[in-house]
Amino acid sequence: MRILAVDDDAIICELLREAFEAAGYTDVVTASSGHEALACMRDAAQPFDCFLLDIQMPEMDGIELCSKIKSQPHHADSPIIMLTAMSEKDYIDRAFGAGATDYVTKPFDVLELFTRLKLAAQLVEQKAKVAEKQQTIDALKTHDTFARKVDLREDIYLSGVRGALQKLAFENYILQLGRSGMFGSAFFAFRFSNVKDLHDNASPDEFVGTILDVGDVIADALKTTETFITYRGNGVYVAITKFEKNRSVTDVQAEIDADLAGLIAPLTNGEAVPISMAVGGPVQSGLFGAAEPLDAMWRAIDLVEGSAAERGPAKATIADRVKKVTSQIMQSAAL
């Protein structure tokens, strides 16, 4: 995995290089500014796979650099880890809003950083597999009669929807905020009740296009810029937004229903699938207690899915993967 680490502190850059090489990541390039990083990307013989960015840098900060990296088509899905001393919610919001997939605060724990990096490596591997499959599809495609069928359970990035995050980045954002950071926020979950009808009758393009259209409706109904939203698959959307105690789930449901009244998915096979949505929430995370930050999200999802039993093994989140990867790293170190 090719890594570009950007920090205006030369000591941090050298520390990162040595730490990564000790962990087996030998293809590491460092840059001391955003402009130098963009030059490294422009001149690189091969694209970088993963980026680590400090936020506070002169001339171009890490958030602006993150946005510039994500604007490049071949890096739209590249993992970007913000490695910074800035832990305030405003910086976290801006970083994830610019496209960051993870956020580690200084002074960082090396083991945690390695864990996050290994998770990023898994994303890079998944991205490569998707690209390989797409090349196969392109090779087999004849007059657009062949296209990859989208799995009903597949999480889809809501490209172009205000506040959209990838599923992994959404979970990382919640974990980074923690319970105290989520104070004043609430989760809403939305279930596309007849998503299977759409999936069974629509082409892949029609299915994805409708998922994006519904995401736009949800974002408009929540009516605030302080909102992040993700699509988790199986017709389920989740949003975290500013809590308004005078705004009930009934209010949001009414707005969603009104906007969806005229939205019908016309399909090329002659079918017309109406859009039906259920809304769950608002659910707030308790400031005190032992609950995990993601528990409030799952409670909102339970409200639209009926019960936790229906969810089954899908409850495994980034937090579970972090624990698993950390355990693997520690076992390797013991050897």
Side-chain angles (χ1 to χ4, degrees):
M1 182 170 69
R2 302 198 72 225
I3 301 171
L4 177 60
V6 188
D7 198 305
D8 62 333
D9 187 329
I11 295 177
I12 294 292
C13 285
E14 187 59 30
L15 176 62
L16 290 173
R17 183 194 296 276
E18 292 180 2
F20 291 161
E21 289 179 354
Y25 298 103
T26 57
D27 198 350
V28 180
V29 174
T30 60
S32 60
S33 70
H35 293 296
E36 184 181 345
L38 293 174
C40 288
M41 294 170 62
R42 183 187 63 241
D43 298 337
Q46 293 181 325
F48 291 98
D49 298 308
C50 177
F51 301 86
L52 282 88
L53 312 179
D54 184 30
I55 287 183
Q56 284 193 307
M57 295 187 294
E59 297 183 15
M60 181 191 303
D61 67 17
I63 294 175
E64 182 182 355
L65 176 58
C66 178
S67 182
K68 287 182 179 295
I69 292 172
K70 284 292 184 176
S71 69
Q72 301 182 21
H74 53 287
H75 286 309
D77 297 322
S78 298
I80 298 180
I81 303 171
M82 307 305 290
L83 184 61
T84 175
M86 311 308 297
S87 58
E88 292 87 348
K89 184 178 184 296
D90 177 61
Y91 285 100
I92 298 171
D93 285 359
R94 288 173 54 209
F96 279 93
T101 52
D102 213 339
Y103 197 105
V104 178
T105 54
K106 300 176 185 176
F108 56 84
D109 178 89
V110 174
L111 181 59
E112 180 189 2
L113 182 57
F114 285 171
T115 300
R116 299 293 181 176
L117 200 60
K118 191 162 185 177
L119 290 171
Q122 292 175 2
L123 283 179
V124 171
E125 184 178 352
Q126 291 172 8
K127 179 183 175 183
K129 288 180 179 178
V130 169
E132 184 178 354
K133 286 181 181 178
Q134 188 60 51
Q135 289 177 354
T136 302
I137 289 172
D138 292 341
L140 294 172
K141 191 183 296 183
T142 304
H143 303 300
D144 294 323
T145 58
F146 180 87
R148 181 178 75 88
K149 186 68 174 178
V150 180
D151 192 301
L152 182 60
R153 298 165 297 178
E154 186 173 335
D155 54 286
I156 297 169
Y157 175 55
L158 301 174
S159 178
V161 175
R162 185 179 68 250
L165 293 180
Q166 294 173 326
K167 175 184 170 183
L168 175 66
F170 187 90
E171 292 182 3
N172 281 336
Y173 169 72
I174 301 307
L175 290 171
Q176 183 60 41
L177 285 183
R179 289 193 304 275
S180 61
M182 287 189 290
F183 184 72
S185 298
F187 288 96
F188 281 94
F190 307 82
R191 182 168 177 80
F192 189 155
S193 304
N194 55 331
V195 69
K196 192 174 187 306
D197 291 338
L198 176 69
H199 183 264
D200 290 346
N201 291 283
S203 71
D205 285 345
E206 291 167 339
F207 179 75
V208 173
T210 305
I211 293 297
L212 297 183
D213 288 342
V214 173
D216 264 329
V217 169
I218 292 172
D220 289 343
L222 293 175
K223 288 189 171 85
T224 173
T225 56
E226 296 181 49
T227 297
F228 285 118
I229 181 173
T230 192
Y231 177 74
R232 300 185 61 86
N234 280 323
V236 175
Y237 302 76
V238 183
I240 182 171
T241 186
K242 184 178 180 181
F243 177 68
E244 300 175 53
K245 65 179 181 179
N246 295 324
R247 194 158 184 246
S248 68
V249 66
T250 304
D251 298 328
V252 176
Q253 180 79 66
E255 293 177 40
I256 293 283
D257 290 344
D259 288 340
L260 290 178
L263 183 60
I264 296 177
L267 310 180
T268 54
N269 67 358
E271 296 286 335
V273 179
I275 310 301
S276 175
M277 294 289 291
V279 182
V283 176
Q284 289 185 279
S285 176
L287 184 58
F288 304 103
E292 293 291 334
L294 289 169
D295 283 353
M297 178 189 77
W298 284 116
R299 292 202 303 274
I301 293 173
D302 285 343
L303 289 174
V304 293
E305 288 196 327
S307 71
E310 295 178 10
R311 188 169 63 235
K315 190 173 180 178
T317 64
I318 183 64
D320 301 304
R321 280 176 277 169
V322 167
K323 293 177 183 177
K324 182 178 179 181
V325 172
T326 301
S327 177
Q328 291 172 346
I329 292 174
M330 293 180 70
Q331 289 175 5
S332 299
L335 297 176

